[in-house]
Amino acid sequence: MAEPVRLAPRGSDFARLAHKINEAGLLDRRPVYYAVRGALVAAAYAGGWALFAWVGDSWLQLLVAAVLAVVFTQVGFLAHDLGHRQVFRSRRTSDIVGLLVGNLGIGLGWGWWNTKHNKHHANPNHEDHDPDVSPAVIVWSEDQVANSRGLPRFIAKRQAFWFFPLLTLEAWHLHVASVKALLKPGSRHRRTEAVLLLTHFALYFGAVFAVLPFGKAVLFLIVHQGIFGIYLGCSFAPNHKGMPVLTAADKLDFLRKQVLTSRNVRGGLVTDVALGQLNYQIEHHLFPNMPAPNLRKAQPIVRQYCEEIGVSYLETGLFSSYGQALRHLHEVGAALR
């Protein structure tokens, strides 16, 4: 088991970096960018469903399902930016648009997801506080393996091989978790969220089963939701999986906690679009409300600053990031083999 990381808190390190970022104007809103991006995503969403209606009862609908899965993921990326208030300064406006994009657009519970994601940002890769590394089916640390039982313990033996197949269920998991969250009291927009989610599911399943016979409809759902889940998982997995998993024994200041648990993915415009610009994960975690197009500009500033203060800054290729994540999962399950 790895030794805990013990570093003295040095909050002033982040303050100096934040001053550099502010001076560069990289926290300023980008309304034109988000207006164009939002219009393109909305057009793709409407166009995808128009294509579905035009193709009709045909096996070509499986290709349409794949196209719509890509579009749904891009809608999810936009919802992510809205949740961090990268688009609008106002929380109320962000919530209104986020509810429409998340709940109504793709069946993702806005309130539940925001709460979960904010916990992740507060304590990334912390096995006690980050819900993204909670031992549900996949286990992320040797301690979690030791305490696992049932299905997680069975999966853990070969979880590196199970990882991508399990991602086909990720979209379904998000839908179910969104509904379950609304069954618990305390949601800020519980009634609104419930109405929008039910409307999404009624329109979604109604359209699929109205246009396609039962067998093709079921296959459409499997392909669409399966690719949607894989795309989401493949977009988020490179960011933290395979990076250090923290425990209560690890004492890190804010900057180190965010940088040492995050990984950037190299690439150009295609990578940026494909990953929703979350490939600049280090910069995103340091400045979560920074508009997405500014993350690329912030990267050289952050990287140079980390070099100056001696903080490890990891950037790798996309496939290398998957390799690191899978090797970590395989090593974690070694005790069970």
Side-chain angles (χ1 to χ4, degrees):
M1 185 173 174
E3 288 296 318
V5 180
R6 301 179 184 276
L7 293 173
R10 296 177 62 191
S12 59
D13 283 342
F14 176 72
R16 286 193 292 271
L17 175 60
H19 180 70
K20 291 175 180 286
I21 294 296
N22 270 312
E23 277 193 329
L26 296 177
L27 295 178
D28 295 344
R29 291 295 177 270
R30 297 287 299 274
V32 174
Y33 165 84
Y34 276 110
V36 172
R37 178 177 166 188
L40 291 174
V41 170
Y45 187 88
W49 284 115
L51 180 63
F52 171 82
W54 180 73
V55 171
D57 182 4
S58 168
W59 289 109
L60 289 175
Q61 289 287 17
L62 299 184
L63 295 178
V64 178
V67 171
L68 277 170
V70 173
V71 173
F72 267 47
T73 306
Q74 289 294 325
V75 174
F77 291 153
L78 189 58
H80 168 272
D81 289 8
L82 286 160
H84 283 296
R85 282 193 253 178
Q86 297 175 19
V87 185
F88 306 107
R89 291 186 184 276
S90 164
R91 177 175 179 175
R92 184 172 182 273
T93 306
S94 299
D95 283 348
I96 292 172
V97 180
L99 285 166
L100 293 173
V101 169
N103 290 58
L104 184 60
I106 59 175
L108 176 64
W110 175 252
W112 164 77
W113 182 84
N114 262 330
T115 300
K116 170 180 174 291
H117 195 61
N118 286 335
K119 289 179 179 178
H120 158 71
H121 267 264
N123 291 284
N125 261 29
H126 194 294
E127 66 177 18
D128 298 321
H129 304 301
D130 183 356
D132 288 354
V133 292
S134 60
V137 177
I138 298 290
V139 291
W140 305 101
S141 70
E142 293 176 1
D143 286 344
Q144 290 180 350
V145 169
N147 295 320
S148 64
R149 298 291 183 273
L151 181 61
R153 191 173 183 84
F154 171 78
I155 294 290
K157 291 182 181 181
R158 297 283 186 273
Q159 60 183 2
F161 300 98
W162 283 102
F163 182 70
F164 286 107
L166 285 172
L167 287 181
T168 61
L169 303 176
E170 178 61 18
W172 295 109
H173 161 69
L174 294 174
H175 298 318
V176 171
S178 297
V179 173
K180 287 173 65 177
L182 291 178
L183 300 178
K184 302 175 183 178
S187 173
R188 288 180 61 244
H189 306 289
R190 187 180 181 187
R191 183 174 299 178
T192 303
E193 287 209 55
V195 169
L196 291 174
L197 268 183
L198 287 174
T199 302
H200 168 83
F201 293 134
L203 292 173
Y204 176 74
F205 289 110
V208 172
F209 283 98
V211 171
L212 298 175
F214 183 82
K216 287 179 183 174
V218 170
L219 282 175
F220 179 93
L221 295 176
I222 291 172
V223 172
H224 178 234
Q225 295 295 327
I227 295 178
F228 182 24
I230 291 173
Y231 189 179
L232 282 174
C234 287
S235 300
F236 286 94
N239 302 335
H240 303 282
K241 307 314 178 192
M243 299 301 289
V245 177
L246 305 180
T247 69
D250 298 315
K251 308 300 180 183
L252 296 172
D253 69 321
F254 176 78
L255 183 144
R256 288 164 178 79
K257 178 168 62 175
Q258 303 298 337
V259 175
L260 297 177
T261 59
S262 303
R263 177 197 296 115
N264 276 16
V265 175
R266 286 190 295 269
L269 179 61
V270 173
T271 303
D272 289 359
V273 173
L275 298 182
Q277 298 179 90
L278 294 174
N279 44 313
Y280 304 104
Q281 190 68 191
I282 294 173
E283 290 71 28
H284 171 58
H285 260 258
L286 288 170
F287 304 99
N289 64 335
M290 179 183 291
N294 291 348
L295 294 170
R296 173 182 281 273
K297 299 176 181 178
Q299 185 188 29
I301 299 174
V302 173
R303 182 170 51 202
Q304 181 180 347
Y305 185 76
C306 286
E307 290 175 0
E308 291 172 358
I309 63 174
V311 174
S312 176
Y313 180 104
L314 181 60
E315 184 181 26
T316 185
L318 180 62
F319 294 106
S320 177
S321 72
Y322 294 141
Q324 292 174 28
L326 294 175
R327 282 193 295 273
H328 170 77
L329 290 176
H330 196 61
E331 291 167 4
V332 163
L336 299 180
R337 296 192 297 275

